[in-house]
Amino acid sequence: MQHHLRTVAGPLDVSGIRGPLLAHEHLVLDLDHTGDRSAVLDPVAHAPAVAEELSALRADFGLSAVVELTCRGMGRDPRTLARISADSGVAVVSATGWYYEPFHPAEVGASGTAGLTDTLVQEIEHGIGTTGVLPGVIGEVGSHGDVPSPEEKRVLTASARAAAATGLSLATHAQLGRGGPAQLDILTAAGLPPHRVSIGHQDLLDDPATHRALAAQGAYVAFDTVGKSGYQSDDTRLRLLLDLLDAGHADRALLSCDISRHGYLASEGGQGYGHLFGSFLPKARAAGLDDDLVDLITRRNPLRFLTGADVEEI
């Protein structure tokens, strides 16, 4: 295992991280395909509000780090991430990889598996462009439907090979929660151990048996759209989480809010990055989660996912 996180400000020793992490977020993003600019977190217009939210969460809840999964073709901006991290005092782990097929840049269609793998390895080892920022995770690598498309399978395979070669972990985007088992099969077939994989958006899939199966294979199960009531109610999310915990898989659960539009920011009347701490976790505590279990899911699990650590190591 590695004993530090690769953040936008450099290595961060995990032994000093005592507060929770957000395991799947976006701080800068551009997924606008229609011109309405809603699926955007702009580096100029929105970054100050993002930094202010994170700073408040650090003060109120001890937020220590954010896993920022904006990757290639999604409006990634490592310099703005570094500025947000410095302004907020919250560590930020940046990402590399490719989202799901409708958002693939031209480089994906123009490259085979080996070329895509090399692109990721070079970026992981030498930094994003000329910024010097080293990605600390691969993701969010995407697919849609129960089975990834051929192009998505090629990206998943390349991403898994790059993760195995560099020691990074990999987080997926499973559109509306579907396709997680197929993703895990592809990733592990390419040589990535399941404990280095987080299967995304599983709180959008009301299928506890699938969650238990993913966890039993050793993958992390991400309930990472907390607060997005237009997709799923938090009551359902909590039920799904409790089912996974009751099945003995507390050490495989991850939580986050996946803020992906500026309308979700607290400054614009949205739920904000703090919805997990201010709303969802109080409900979870009322349902029986104690302090140690909350710490496991919000701090130790994401640290173990990112570093490859065993339970007793963090």
Side-chain angles (χ1 to χ4, degrees):
M1 65 159 285
Q2 61 187 42
H3 295 277
H4 65 272
L5 301 186
R6 290 162 54 114
T7 79
V8 295
L12 178 62
D13 193 321
V14 298
S15 64
I17 299 175
R18 307 317 310 165
L21 290 77
L22 288 168
H24 182 135
E25 295 298 341
H26 302 280
L27 308 180
V28 184
L29 181 77
D30 190 345
L31 293 180
D32 177 40
H33 276 186
T34 65
D36 68 358
R37 305 305 291 167
S38 60
V40 170
L41 291 165
D42 186 81
V44 175
H46 306 124
V50 170
E52 184 176 351
E53 278 200 43
L54 298 186
S55 180
L57 294 177
R58 180 174 63 86
D60 295 341
F61 300 100
L63 178 66
S64 61
V66 173
V67 183
E68 212 279 356
L69 292 179
T70 304
C71 56
R72 300 171 70 93
M74 294 178 73
R76 184 180 57 171
D77 188 335
R79 288 191 174 90
T80 299
L81 295 184
R83 186 172 74 249
I84 289 171
S85 179
D87 290 348
S88 66
V90 174
V92 175
V93 176
S94 65
T96 189
W98 292 277
Y99 197 34
Y100 73 115
E101 187 169 2
F103 296 91
H104 284 175
E107 63 186 357
V108 174
S111 299
T113 304
L116 294 174
T117 302
D118 185 64
T119 294
L120 297 183
V121 170
Q122 291 299 311
E123 192 162 80
I124 292 163
E125 293 183 344
H126 301 291
I128 301 170
T130 61
T131 66
V133 172
L134 299 176
V137 67
I138 296 176
E140 58 181 299
V141 181
S143 70
H144 64 297
D146 293 326
V147 179
S149 71
E151 187 166 293
E152 289 168 344
K153 182 178 180 180
R154 189 167 75 252
V155 166
L156 285 160
T157 300
S159 299
R161 291 178 180 174
T166 60
L168 293 192
S169 294
L170 187 154
T172 77
H173 166 90
Q175 180 74 357
L176 299 178
R178 295 172 58 196
Q183 289 181 340
L184 187 58
D185 286 347
I186 292 167
L187 296 171
T188 55
L192 188 61
H195 74 282
R196 303 310 299 268
V197 176
S198 166
I199 301 296
H201 310 325
Q202 291 306 288
D203 50 337
L204 301 181
L205 180 71
D206 193 348
D207 185 357
T210 293
H211 303 156
R212 293 193 297 267
L214 292 170
Q217 292 179 71
Y220 288 90
V221 180
F223 299 100
D224 53 17
T225 66
V226 174
K228 288 187 170 181
S229 58
Y231 292 93
Q232 187 74 278
S233 73
D234 277 357
D235 287 342
T236 298
R237 290 187 176 92
L238 181 56
R239 172 173 55 79
L240 294 171
L241 175 63
L242 293 174
D243 185 278
L244 190 66
L245 303 185
D246 290 343
H249 298 302
D251 63 342
R252 286 295 178 263
L254 297 174
L255 294 174
S256 209
C257 297
D258 189 25
I259 299 302
S260 55
R261 293 172 175 264
H262 61 83
Y264 290 143
L265 296 176
S267 60
E268 297 195 12
Q271 66 270 35
Y273 300 96
H275 181 86
L276 174 65
F277 306 110
S279 180
F280 187 80
L281 285 177
K283 292 180 181 179
R285 290 180 186 277
L289 274 68
D290 61 18
D291 289 345
D292 183 69
L293 197 50
V294 170
D295 181 73
L296 174 66
I297 297 171
T298 63
R299 184 182 68 87
R300 280 137 54 203
N301 281 356
L303 290 177
R304 289 168 48 239
F305 162 64
L306 290 169
T307 62
D310 293 329
V311 175
E312 64 273 8
E313 291 181 293
I314 292 178

